[in-house]
Amino acid sequence: MSKTIIVSNRLPISLQHKNGKFEFKPSAGGLATGLGSIYKEGENIWIGWPGNDVEDEGQRKEVVDELIKLKMAPVFLTKKDVELYYEGFSNETIWPAFHYFTQHINYEDEYWDAYWNVNKKFCDAILAKASDDDTIWVHDYQLLLLPMMLREKLPNATIAFFQHIPFPSYEIMRMLPWRKQMLEGMVGADLIGFHTYDDMRHFLSAVGRILGLSNESGFIQADNRLINVDAFPMGIDYEKFEKAALSPKTQNFVKKFKQTLGDQKLLITIDRLDYSKGIPNRIKVFEKLLDENPQYRGKVSMIMVVVPSRDQVQSYQTLKEEIDTLVGHINSKFSTLNWVPIHYFYRSFPFNELSAFYSMSDIALVTPLRDGMNLVCKEFVASKTDKKGVLILSEMAGASKELVDAILVNPNDQEGVTSAIVEALSMDEEEQEMRISSMQASLKKYDIFQWVKVFMDRLQFVKEKQADLESKALDKKIIAQMKKAFNVAKKPLLLLDYDGTLVGFKGKPQDAFPDEELKVLVAKLAQRCQTVIISGRDKETLGAWFEGQKIDMIAEHGVWLKRKDQKEDWILYAEVDDSWKEDIRKVMEYYVLRTPGALIEEKHHSLVWHFRKVESGLGDLRMRELFSHLKYMARGHNLQVLEGNKVLEIKRPDINKGRAATAMMKGEDYDFIMALGDDWTDEDTFKAMPKNAYTIRVGYTYTQANYNIKNPQAVRELLKSLLE
Ligand code: GDG
C-alpha cells in the first residue's frame, strides 16, 4: 500500500542526552500538530534531522529504534554538515537572500557543496523507505534540491514542496550563483506551495526567466510533467490557543503577572532572534513613543520575548548585542523605581506562560521587516477570547494579506508605527471587538488542519490532472499497433509539422534547420509513404531546407504547396486577399518602435509580431496591448488574432493547416494516416482528420489529437520505429 512521507530539516522532537540515555520530547508546534493527522497514520512516517550530532553507531541505533515508535526516521548529520549546510548555505545564503537582506548573504562554494551533499543524504534516507507510488511532502528552504533528486529516482511518486519563508523577487534570485540548480531542484515536485500570492508570482517569474519554463495560471508544463504552483496561507491550531487562553492554568499566570506589573497597558512582542523580525526598529519606535508622549511613561510597558536562535552565526550574535544595547539604553533612560519600559527576555517560555502573555496584553506589535507568514500575530488574535485587543501588523509579513483588520504598518516607517501604537492605545472597545471578531472568524476557518487538507486535496487534483493528460500518452502497445497498420498499408500518408515536432525550438528561428539525422529520416520515410511537411514557415526556407527530398510541402499554414515531383515553383494553394495588411502593419510598426527587439514578419496570408528577443516581461506586456488594439480592427476586416510561442499573428481565419490537409486528401484513398504537430495551428489539422487517423500532439497538453508524445526526440524515435 502506498504511504505518505513528510520530510523536513528538523524532526518535530527535541532530543536530549541525559545520564547516558536519550530523551525524546515531541514538539507541540503548529506544523507538527497539523501534520500529525498524516504521519501518525498507517505506514506513514516523518523523516528529518533529530537536531543532535550522534556519531556513535550504538547510539544511532538507539535513536532509530526510539524514533520509529514515534513514526519518525532520522537523517544523521555530522557537525561539519550542520556547520556548512544548515548554518552555512541555509542560514547564511538562502535565508538572507530570501528575506531581502542581501548585505548578509555569504557566497561560499563550500556551503553549496555541503548543501548538495546533505540534500543527497536526505534523498538516500527517503529512498531507503519510499516506493514509486508513495506521496512525499518536502518542507522548506533547507531542502530545495530534494524534490528533483527524488523525482530522478522515483519518477512516478507524488512529490510536494512547501516553502515556509518568502520567495524573493527575480532580482534577488538572479544574484545567487546556484539559482538554476535551486529552481531545478524545486520543479521536481508536482505541487509547489508558498504562503502568499506574491511569493508564488516571484517564483513563477524566476522559473520563467531562469529555467525558461512558462506557466498558465500557476500550471507549468515542464518537459513531460504538469506542475502546479499555488498559495496556501498557513493557519494555526486555533482551538488550542483559544482553549489555552480560557484555561485556569493560563488565567492563574495572568493574575500573577498582572499583580507584579500593576495597572498598565501592555504591548507584547515575540520573535525568534532574527534580523528579519525588525526587533531593533521596534525598540527605537517604542523610545520615540515615550519621547513624544510623556503621558504614556509609567503607563505603558512592552513585554519583549526573544527566543534564542542560530546564535552560532555571526550576524545573529551582532543582532543580539544590538538588542541588548538598545534595551539597556531605553530602560536606563525612562525606568522609575516602580516602572520599567521594556521587560526583556532572551529565552523561550512554556506554552501556558506564552498563552498568558497573549491573553493579558492589550496590543501585539508584530513588525517584521520580512516574514514568510508569521504565526505569532495569529496566535495573539486567537487568544483574545474577550475580543479586546489590537494587532499592529507589518505589511511585510505574509499574514498581513489575510489579517486586513489589523492596523497595518510599514515597519521602516517609524513615524507610522508610532502613530499606530497611539491609535491602538486609544481605540474604543467596540472597534477592537469588531476587528478581532472578524480576524478570528477567518483564522478559525483556515486553521492548520484546513491548511493540510487543502494542500493534500490540491496535490491529488494535480495528480488527477496529470493522469488525465497522460492517459493519451503513447505507450508501447499503441506504437506496435501503429507499426503494424503502417506496414500493411498500401497508401499511407504522413502529415508532419516542423518546428516543435521534428526539431526543438531555437533562440533564432533560422537556427532550427534540419540536422543530418532528420534529413536521412525524412528521406527514408519518403521512400515508404507520402510524406508531407505542413508548416507555418515561409516557402523559401522550407524549400531550401528540404531541397531534393521526395516529399510534399505545405508552407505558411496552407497558402503554398509544392508536390514532390513538381518541377516548377510553388503553387498558390489558397486565394489570398491582402488588402487588410496596410492598416494592420501600421499598428504593428508602432509597437515595434516602442519595443526594442520586436519585429514584424510578413507572410502571404498573415502578419506576425515577434517578441522572442524582447526583454522578458516587457514583451508580454506589449503583446497584450497589441492584442487588445488589434482585436477591434480584426473584427472589421474579418480576421483572426492568435497568440503563439512569443508571437502574435493576425490572419485570415479560413486559411489554416486543416483546410490544406483536407484539400490534399480529397479524392485519395489513404489506408493509413498519421498527423503530428505541437501547437494550436496543428489542432486544425487534427480536427480535419478522418476518425481512423492517428493524430499525435507533441507535449503533454490538452488536445483534439488522439495521443500525446513527449518531445521532438520521441517523435523521431516513433518515426524510426515505423520503418523498422
Ligand atoms: C517560519 C517563517 C512562518 C515563540 N516564542 C515562544 C514560542 N514561540 C512560537 C510561536 C510561534 C513560533 O514560535 C514562531 O513562528 P513564526 O511564524 O512567527 O516564525 P518563524 O519561526 O520564523 O517561522 C514564518 C513559519 O515558518 C511557518 O510557516 O510563519 O514566516 O519564518 O508558533 O508561538 N513558543 C513557546 N514559547 C516561546 O517562548 N512555547
Side-chain angles (χ1 to χ4, degrees):
M1 219 185 74
S2 67
K3 60 183 170 305
T4 300
I5 301 176
I6 305 286
V7 189
S8 63
N9 170 54
R10 273 296 302 270
L11 281 173
I13 44 140
S14 65
L15 234 188
Q16 279 188 356
H17 198 236
K18 271 191 190 160
N19 309 324
K21 254 191 96 60
F22 281 104
E23 273 179 21
F24 298 79
K25 213 170 140 231
S27 138
L31 184 65
T33 314
L35 294 175
S37 58
I38 298 182
Y39 78 95
K40 290 182 182 164
E41 293 294 312
E43 293 296 298
N44 301 350
I45 193 161
W46 191 323
I47 298 181
W49 173 46
N52 287 49
D53 147 43
V54 188
E55 297 283 353
D56 178 78
E57 277 308 319
Q59 286 187 343
R60 284 192 172 186
K61 186 167 180 322
E62 185 192 337
V63 172
V64 171
D65 292 346
E66 285 302 313
L67 283 178
I68 204 69
K69 295 179 196 157
L70 300 168
K71 307 287 305 274
M72 296 181 201
V75 179
F76 291 112
L77 301 183
T78 64
K79 270 204 181 86
K80 199 85 191 148
D81 286 337
V82 175
E83 188 191 312
L84 301 176
Y85 140 85
Y86 179 64
E87 286 157 10
F89 199 78
S90 300
N91 291 336
E92 288 186 37
T93 309
I94 302 184
W95 181 275
F98 282 26
H99 285 85
Y100 295 78
F101 283 84
T102 50
Q103 72 276 29
H104 290 319
I105 305 178
N106 230 331
Y107 301 92
E108 299 283 346
D109 283 329
E110 201 188 8
Y111 286 179
W112 166 254
D113 292 343
Y115 186 77
W116 193 94
N117 284 329
V118 172
N119 271 255
K120 186 77 181 46
K121 270 193 188 178
F122 270 79
C123 181
D124 293 341
I126 296 161
L127 292 177
K129 307 256 173 217
S131 9
D132 210 24
D133 59 349
D134 285 344
T135 296
I136 307 171
W137 186 1
V138 179
H139 287 262
D140 230 0
Y141 65 103
Q142 300 92 350
L143 300 171
L144 296 180
L145 309 180
L146 189 53
M148 191 52 95
M149 286 178 173
L150 289 167
R151 174 70 58 206
E152 279 161 8
K153 301 286 179 193
L154 303 170
N156 298 313
T158 301
I159 303 174
F161 177 80
F162 186 82
Q163 180 161 304
H164 291 260
I165 67 171
F167 195 91
S169 141
Y170 162 73
E171 289 303 324
I172 302 278
M173 199 59 201
R174 70 199 290 214
M175 293 170 73
L176 301 173
W178 312 278
R179 60 207 175 176
K180 192 158 179 270
Q181 295 96 311
M182 291 160 79
L183 293 171
E184 280 168 351
M186 294 171 83
V187 298
D190 300 299
L191 175 64
I192 302 171
F194 298 97
H195 282 305
T196 70
Y197 170 69
D198 279 340
D199 300 318
M200 154 185 173
R201 77 184 168 80
H202 287 152
F203 175 75
L204 288 171
S205 152
V207 164
R209 285 158 183 244
I210 297 168
L211 299 187
L213 294 173
S214 58
N215 82 92
E216 220 169 277
S217 310
F219 282 94
I220 301 174
Q221 181 74 49
D223 209 3
N224 60 344
R225 224 163 22 89
L226 192 70
I227 302 164
N228 187 207
V229 179
D230 210 342
F232 302 89
M234 187 171 148
I236 56 166
D237 184 352
Y238 186 91
E239 218 181 276
K240 178 180 164 191
F241 283 90
E242 186 183 37
K243 272 193 180 149
L246 293 167
S247 73
K249 202 168 170 191
T250 293
Q251 287 310 318
N252 280 339
F253 279 120
V254 170
K255 220 161 116 191
K256 200 171 106 192
F257 294 157
K258 279 204 157 178
Q259 262 168 13
T260 322
L261 291 165
D263 185 22
Q264 285 193 46
K265 288 276 183 191
L266 295 174
L267 265 89
I268 178 85
T269 89
I270 301 181
D271 311 87
R272 258 186 326 96
L273 176 73
D274 203 290
Y275 45 77
S276 65
K277 304 285 183 185
I279 304 169
N281 290 31
R282 208 175 302 161
I283 305 172
K284 286 178 198 158
V285 163
F286 195 52
E287 179 178 9
K288 187 171 156 66
L289 178 89
L290 296 176
D291 266 336
E292 292 172 1
N293 301 277
Q295 73 275 20
Y296 292 142
R297 296 182 200 159
K299 304 267 170 22
V300 180
S301 286
M302 184 151 111
I303 299 175
M304 195 170 91
V305 179
V306 179
V307 180
S309 169
R310 304 177 194 170
D311 39 21
Q312 298 306 310
V313 178
Q314 180 57 46
S315 49
Y316 286 73
Q317 290 167 4
T318 314
L319 174 68
K320 166 75 172 45
E321 283 160 21
E322 187 185 358
I323 296 171
D324 290 353
T325 310
L326 283 168
V327 173
H329 163 74
I330 183 171
N331 277 354
S332 58
K333 182 168 162 188
F334 294 108
S335 287
T336 59
L337 279 177
N338 55 1
W339 176 71
V340 179
I342 302 183
H343 298 273
Y344 169 39
F345 307 94
Y346 184 61
R347 59 172 190 266
S348 72
F349 284 86
F351 179 66
N352 282 95
E353 289 178 51
L354 184 80
S355 168
F357 285 157
Y358 284 142
S359 172
M360 71 191 204
S361 299
D362 302 281
I363 298 167
L365 193 53
V366 183
T367 55
L369 300 173
R370 196 64 67 165
D371 217 334
M373 171 53 71
N374 192 291
L375 301 179
V376 167
C377 58
K378 295 189 168 183
E379 294 167 1
F380 169 76
V381 173
S383 308
K384 293 280 126 199
T385 48
D386 63 357
K387 315 229 183 287
K388 308 241 168 29
V390 184
L391 171 64
I392 299 175
L393 178 59
S394 163
E395 290 164 5
M396 311 296 174
S400 68
K401 307 288 184 311
E402 238 178 308
L403 300 179
V404 287
D405 287 300
I407 302 182
L408 295 179
V409 292
N410 174 351
N412 302 302
D413 172 10
Q414 299 218 347
E415 189 65 48
V417 184
T418 314
S419 315
I421 301 177
V422 173
E423 185 188 341
L425 285 168
S426 47
M427 189 180 285
D428 64 52
E429 291 198 345
E430 205 180 323
E431 185 169 354
Q432 293 182 29
E433 279 187 34
M434 194 267 293
R435 288 176 182 246
I436 292 281
S437 306
S438 147
M439 292 191 282
Q440 283 183 342
S442 161
L443 293 178
K444 207 171 188 157
K445 192 162 170 198
Y446 299 102
D447 67 2
I448 184 73
F449 304 103
Q450 180 68 6
W451 178 78
V452 171
K453 184 176 178 323
V454 167
F455 190 90
M456 292 311 267
D457 286 353
R458 186 71 180 174
L459 183 57
Q460 197 183 339
F461 168 78
V462 177
K463 287 310 270 191
E464 278 163 15
K465 217 168 149 131
Q466 286 177 349
D468 203 20
L469 287 175
E470 280 162 22
S471 67
K472 286 185 165 186
L474 272 184
D475 60 24
K476 282 195 184 120
K477 207 170 121 204
I478 300 160
I479 295 177
Q481 209 183 75
M482 288 177 179
K483 238 169 101 170
K484 206 166 144 201
F486 182 76
N487 281 330
V488 298
K490 302 226 160 36
K491 197 172 163 54
L493 171 70
L494 269 186
L495 292 163
L496 304 172
D497 166 53
Y498 185 75
D499 292 276
T501 301
L502 295 176
V503 294
F505 285 102
K506 293 274 157 54
K508 290 190 217 136
Q510 63 269 35
D511 289 347
F513 51 80
D515 50 85
E516 212 37 48
E517 181 198 55
L518 181 61
K519 282 187 182 164
V520 172
L521 177 62
V522 168
K524 283 189 182 158
L525 287 168
Q527 278 173 12
R528 272 287 289 115
C529 66
Q530 183 180 345
T531 305
V532 185
I533 302 274
I534 180 165
S535 164
R537 289 247 181 197
D538 61 82
K539 63 183 189 333
E540 287 73 24
T541 309
L542 277 191
W545 282 354
F546 290 100
E547 200 181 350
Q549 293 264 25
K550 294 269 175 222
I551 57 168
D552 297 327
M553 283 180 277
I554 294 173
E556 294 187 27
H557 300 114
V559 177
W560 298 101
L561 169 75
K562 188 163 182 173
R563 290 288 197 173
K564 66 175 174 190
D565 304 319
Q566 190 178 310
K567 293 277 172 300
E568 69 277 23
D569 209 4
W570 291 73
I571 54 166
L572 206 56
Y573 209 33
E575 271 314 310
V576 178
D577 161 23
D578 61 2
S579 56
W580 53 273
K581 278 187 178 164
E582 207 178 314
D583 281 357
I584 305 281
R585 193 187 298 105
K586 272 190 202 139
V587 176
M588 282 190 167
E589 270 162 6
Y590 170 66
Y591 283 84
V592 167
L593 280 179
R594 291 174 59 213
T595 319
L599 57 96
I600 300 171
E601 181 191 3
E602 177 161 353
K603 298 187 189 178
H604 268 84
H605 73 303
S606 74
L607 283 174
V608 191
W609 194 80
H610 287 258
F611 64 99
R612 183 170 294 281
K613 285 190 175 166
V614 177
E615 178 191 353
S616 163
L618 179 68
D620 288 288
L621 181 81
R622 290 281 197 272
M623 189 272 284
R624 299 256 146 262
E625 234 181 285
L626 177 61
F627 194 106
S628 51
H629 202 146
L630 290 180
K631 221 166 45 190
Y632 297 102
M633 297 183 72
R635 232 173 266 160
H637 288 289
N638 194 21
L639 297 166
Q640 196 181 17
V641 192
L642 294 164
E643 201 187 317
N645 195 331
K646 301 280 180 205
V647 295
L648 192 69
E649 179 154 14
I650 184 157
K651 69 184 226 348
R652 287 253 315 272
D654 52 341
I655 293 180
N656 62 54
K657 289 181 179 176
R659 189 189 151 279
T662 309
M664 169 146 287
M665 293 186 303
K666 200 169 169 199
E668 304 284 352
D669 199 10
Y670 296 109
D671 53 357
F672 174 96
I673 303 174
M674 180 184 274
L676 279 144
D678 77 305
D679 70 13
W680 50 266
T681 63
D682 304 303
E683 291 293 323
D684 290 325
T685 314
F686 301 147
K687 270 185 268 176
M689 292 298 111
K691 273 213 168 66
N692 60 352
Y694 293 105
T695 49
I696 308 169
R697 173 132 179 191
V698 184
Y700 292 101
T701 183
Y702 287 106
T703 176
Q704 297 270 343
N706 311 121
Y707 303 105
N708 292 93
I709 193 165
K710 188 172 169 183
N711 54 25
Q713 199 46 47
V715 169
R716 290 188 188 194
E717 294 308 318
L718 170 70
L719 294 174
K720 274 187 215 159
S721 77
L722 291 181
L723 297 168
E724 280 164 7

